[in-house]
Amino acid sequence: MEGSMFYWIIWVFWVYITFFMNKQNLYRTKLAAGILMFIIFSNVNFMFMGFEFYASGLFMLLLSYIIFSKKKLGSLLYAFICSFIVTISYVTFNLFVIYDPIWVIFQKEWMMAICFSCLAIFLQNSLKDRLLIIVSGTMQGEMLYAYYLSKFEFSYPIGSIAYLDVSSLVVLLLVSWSILENAGTIFQNHFHFLEKGKQKSS
């Protein structure tokens, strides 16, 4: 079971982007290449300052910081606040699982995915910004959580496959929600295209 959700979800996204996404889309090649690198890095780990890091999580975090750096000061400040909220929420959730596991009423990964998807939807309006605060916030949360556990001499791998399972589920839920949000526009454009086709044929 471990890692199965991540690999299934990420491969579905890669197949869609590679074979079904509009070839005129400027981000298509970058997204496909980024996902492949993400998959390659998922099993690469190393030790740094006494902590075990997985490269894929750091790769995501670095990309999110690069995209953040291109924002204007006002939107950057708000994005930073949202990311910080996600970080604190992530650490709090994991600590609750340790200290009071009885409230985890169904599979932890799905509970986390649903909670953080709702949080991202509440804090940001666009899919891109939602994904950015989730990626940066949860990875920052991973590092803070690992630091907290190290005080009790517990080791915790940062950005491991277990983390990738949760983050990929959040991405899947956010993309699904975005499709639902834009369903009206998609159908409207589709029917408009069909109407134009009929007019030309007549």
Side-chain angles (χ1 to χ4, degrees):
M1 182 67 182
E2 186 180 345
S4 60
M5 286 187 289
F6 163 67
Y7 288 114
W8 274 106
I9 292 169
I10 208 72
W11 274 118
V12 166
F13 279 125
W14 185 83
V15 168
Y16 171 77
I17 290 166
T18 305
F19 299 106
F20 299 101
M21 183 177 275
N22 189 337
K23 289 181 172 55
Q24 305 302 317
N25 192 307
L26 297 174
Y27 298 103
R28 177 174 167 270
T29 304
K30 291 180 181 178
L31 283 171
I35 288 175
L36 283 179
M37 289 179 69
F38 188 39
I39 293 169
I40 292 167
F41 289 153
S42 64
N43 284 317
V44 177
N45 63 316
F46 58 91
M47 297 297 295
F48 180 70
M49 295 181 67
F51 294 97
E52 183 183 4
F53 287 88
Y54 277 78
S56 52
L58 290 178
F59 174 65
M60 283 199 307
L61 184 62
L62 179 62
L63 281 181
S64 67
Y65 285 164
I66 291 170
I67 298 169
F68 274 139
S69 68
K70 297 176 182 177
K71 288 181 172 290
K72 293 180 180 177
L73 184 59
S75 57
L76 176 61
L77 182 60
Y78 179 67
F80 172 77
I81 293 169
C82 292
S83 179
F84 180 72
I85 291 170
V86 172
T87 299
I88 298 303
S89 302
Y90 187 86
V91 175
T92 303
F93 189 104
N94 279 290
L95 290 178
F96 265 117
V97 171
I98 292 176
Y99 291 116
D100 194 15
I102 195 168
W103 70 278
V104 182
I105 53 178
F106 55 93
Q107 193 174 1
K108 175 191 166 186
E109 290 81 4
W110 279 100
M111 276 193 71
M112 292 183 76
I114 292 167
C115 288
F116 289 109
S117 296
C118 291
L119 185 60
I121 290 165
F122 176 76
L123 291 172
Q124 292 284 358
N125 292 322
S126 73
L127 175 62
K128 177 184 174 182
D129 288 330
R130 288 167 182 169
L131 293 175
L132 279 176
I133 65 167
I134 285 297
V135 168
S136 59
T138 54
M139 266 306 294
Q140 289 162 181
E142 280 276 284
M143 289 187 280
L144 186 57
Y145 181 58
Y147 176 75
Y148 176 82
L149 291 181
S150 70
K151 297 297 181 183
F152 303 94
E153 298 185 356
F154 289 113
S155 62
Y156 178 80
I158 299 169
S160 66
I161 290 294
Y163 163 77
L164 296 179
D165 274 350
V166 175
S167 58
S168 60
L169 273 175
V170 176
V171 171
L172 179 63
L173 291 176
L174 287 176
V175 169
S176 301
W177 180 261
S178 182
I179 291 170
L180 287 174
E181 278 185 323
N182 297 295
T185 306
I186 293 168
F187 280 118
Q188 189 176 1
N189 291 339
H190 178 68
F191 286 120
H192 181 66
F193 176 77
L194 289 178
E195 286 296 322
K196 285 180 71 176
K198 287 179 181 177
Q199 287 172 7
K200 284 181 181 180
S201 61
S202 61

